Amino acid sequence: METSLFDSTDVRQRSSMTDLVPAMEAAFVAYATGNAQMPSKSYIDLPTYNGDFRSMPAYMAADDWDAAGIKWVNVHPDNPSTHDFPTVMGTMIYSDPETGFPLAIMDGTELTMRRTGAAAAVATDYLAVEDATSMGIVGAGVQSYTQLEAIAAVRPIEEVVISDPDDERVEKFVDTYAEEFAIRRGSIAAAAACDVLSTVTPVEAPIVETDDLCSHTHVNAMGADAAGKHELTDEVLLNALLVIDDFEQCIHSGEINVPWDNGVLTEEDIHGEIGEIATGKLAGRTPEDSVTVFDSTGLAIQDVAAAHVVYEASDEETAASSLIQTI
């Protein structure tokens, strides 16, 4: 056996949303049904270098496949200015659960972006109105691209409103999708008034208010990944049908972490986890629901599920190439 190496381009080319979205749903189902193992994320603090390492191991079993691996991630805020490296980098080791053999080592940064988009798409499929045609995005960074790509795979998106104070980033985003969607720059309120809204910012003071949203907006709150981050006002969270990916992670570092710590939001305000909806234990959107919110922190099982998609796509590509050579 050989260990495959996949760079960011390989990961992107081998992880179509057509395959990724059902893989993310399978990961959520495995977690909800007890068919997954996901130890808590561990940290190595490096104060000398103003950074840290984080390890995220996981195993999950779907109906007809299983996957295991570990993602090794760093966060070094000084990298861009001091070393011309990204602040966050990641590497995924994807292993054969039966033997432990390392099947692949792949770029974990691209993998994270794509599985994050796919996770939002799963939530959108369960929580957004069926005929959603407009999407707003607050934050035009790298995550915004996979948000649009993934959600357009589960809803017939036609109109896109992008909001970001950075002119260059907005222009790049608009240019990228100008031929696919009716896309324009707009305010946060204009983005929030769409059928689906994804927020992908690192803010610690809420920027989306109840009055910004339309009567049925589904919100994917993707930006909060650390204690203190908070994109939606408490009122939005309290009035919405609120769905999370994992209770412990969300109260620690998800969108709900601040109102939870302040005692404003309690467990009674949370509808449940997305896996419980995917298994049918809980209902998703009903005709009675208005605004819905998905609080996503990102789970290690999503990484191994995405790595499975990348590896299987490369395996199929190799098999097809061998068949052509044989013929």
Side-chain angles (χ1 to χ4, degrees):
M1 297 182 72
E2 296 181 346
T3 301
S4 299
L5 298 176
F6 300 126
D7 63 16
S8 59
T9 300
D10 296 325
V11 171
R12 183 166 56 253
Q13 292 177 342
R14 291 168 169 80
S15 56
S16 72
M17 289 301 171
T18 302
D19 295 325
L20 270 183
V21 174
M24 289 307 103
E25 183 169 6
F28 289 135
V29 169
Y31 189 47
T33 55
N35 292 314
Q37 297 180 50
M38 190 175 65
S40 299
K41 184 187 302 183
S42 62
Y43 293 79
I44 296 177
D45 193 30
L46 303 170
T48 301
Y49 305 107
N50 187 29
D52 64 67
F53 287 115
R54 309 168 186 196
S55 61
M56 300 172 63
Y59 166 80
M60 59 154 290
D63 289 339
D64 55 356
W65 56 272
D66 61 356
I70 183 169
K71 188 170 72 174
W72 180 243
V73 186
N74 77 286
V75 178
H76 284 65
D78 298 336
N79 269 356
S81 60
T82 306
H83 303 289
D84 198 25
F85 286 161
T87 297
V88 180
M89 294 178 283
T91 301
M92 183 75 193
I93 301 174
Y94 178 65
S95 300
D96 181 356
E98 182 178 1
T99 66
F101 187 85
L103 298 172
I105 298 173
M106 62 186 73
D107 178 75
T109 306
E110 183 72 25
L111 191 79
T112 300
M113 289 189 294
R114 297 192 64 75
R115 61 83 154 152
T116 302
V122 173
T124 300
D125 207 20
Y126 281 108
L127 298 171
V129 292
E130 288 290 338
D131 58 349
T133 58
S134 62
M135 180 178 180
I137 305 174
V138 180
V142 292
Q143 290 283 2
S144 61
Y145 293 80
T146 54
Q147 287 294 306
L148 178 53
E149 181 184 348
I151 289 165
V154 299
R155 286 296 185 273
I157 301 300
E158 298 173 358
E159 177 188 358
V160 179
V161 180
I162 180 73
S163 181
D164 192 296
D166 189 312
D167 293 339
E168 186 175 341
R169 295 205 302 185
V170 169
E171 183 177 349
K172 179 181 178 183
F173 187 87
V174 170
D175 288 345
T176 300
Y177 295 109
E179 295 184 4
E180 296 180 61
F181 305 97
I183 185 168
R184 64 183 174 86
R185 181 177 194 168
S187 64
I188 292 175
C194 293
D195 298 324
V196 179
L197 170 68
S198 285
T199 56
V200 283
T201 76
V203 299
E204 296 187 358
I207 54 176
V208 176
E209 300 182 3
T210 297
D211 290 344
D212 296 331
L213 304 166
C214 78
S215 61
H216 60 261
T217 302
H218 167 63
V219 185
N220 295 303
M222 314 301 291
D225 60 357
K229 292 187 177 182
H230 193 18
E231 297 181 294
L232 315 179
T233 63
D234 294 349
E235 185 181 12
V236 170
L237 296 171
L238 290 169
N239 292 337
L241 181 78
L242 178 58
V243 177
I244 61 179
D245 60 5
D246 176 71
F247 181 79
E248 292 300 328
Q249 285 195 186
C250 284
I251 64 172
H252 176 265
S253 57
E255 177 59 32
I256 66 172
N257 83 89
V258 174
W260 180 274
D261 286 344
N262 291 338
V264 174
L265 185 145
T266 69
E267 195 167 351
E268 293 181 355
D269 299 307
I270 302 172
H271 179 62
E273 295 181 352
I274 186 65
E276 295 176 296
I277 295 176
T279 60
K281 181 180 178 180
L282 293 176
R285 171 176 283 276
T286 68
E288 292 72 35
D289 292 320
S290 52
V291 172
T292 56
V293 171
F294 175 52
D295 180 0
S296 172
T297 56
L299 309 179
I301 51 170
Q302 295 170 224
D303 295 312
V304 297
H308 169 79
V309 169
V310 172
Y311 183 77
E312 291 300 313
S314 69
D315 205 30
E316 291 173 7
E317 185 178 280
T318 300
S321 176
S322 298
L323 179 60
I324 291 172
Q325 291 174 9
T326 300
I327 293 173

